Amino acid sequence: LRSSGDPLEVWLFDDDALSLYARGLRLRLRMAGPRAQLTLKVANQDCAQIKAEHLPRGEGKCEYDLHGDQVAGAVSLETVLDAGRARRLVEGREPSGQALSAAQNRYLREVVHAWPLPPDLRALGPVEVLRYRTADKRYDVDVSRLPGGERYAEIARKVPRADADRAHGALLAAV
């Protein structure tokens, strides 16, 4: 494995009851140095049914994720934040809902009907992520350390939907 970029500090935003998680929503802040990206990820979406107006070019995508043997569509909408604003979110000095982009707000309101967000969202984390890539550049490997010290790894490969079963079989055969 070869290092693939700066380490990430990752924060998730939810309330004590994990209300967003229960609805298939993730509000994730990734920070690397002065760069910060706030992502709204929505699970269990039918990518073929998503209207183009809900995924503005350069701000969002819909892709299929394979976890174990389960395949599900997921929408990701991203916005870039400056380091100061990211810190204010993590420290609770700015509500996470105020940092969302217009596209993220629109998706929450019009598609998943999850607005307003719960008022008591708070930053959960940080998760420290080290990113690697295999020498043949076929797989990305993220090694995460949770706040309690637990570690886990995620192996990813982006392929066209039609190639997913073959790629998954090749990965299982390789490990």
Side-chain angles (χ1 to χ4, degrees), residues 151-168:
R151 292 182 188 270
Y152 70 93
E154 180 179 359
I155 301 170
R157 181 175 179 199
K158 294 195 183 298
V159 298
R161 176 75 172 100
D163 296 339
D165 289 337
R166 182 191 54 75
H168 184 236

Side-chain angles (χ1 to χ4, degrees), residues 86-104:
R87 274 290 142 214
R88 288 192 302 276
L89 288 175
V90 168
E91 294 167 359
R93 294 185 289 126
E94 180 175 343
S96 51
Q98 288 184 2
L100 297 174
S101 70
Q104 291 168 326

Side-chain angles (χ1 to χ4, degrees), residues 4-8 128-132 141-145 151:
S4 176
D6 294 332
L8 297 174
E128 297 173 11
V129 180
L130 299 177
R131 307 190 96 180
Y132 300 94
V141 180
D142 287 353
V143 178
S144 299
R145 186 167 61 87
R151 292 182 188 270

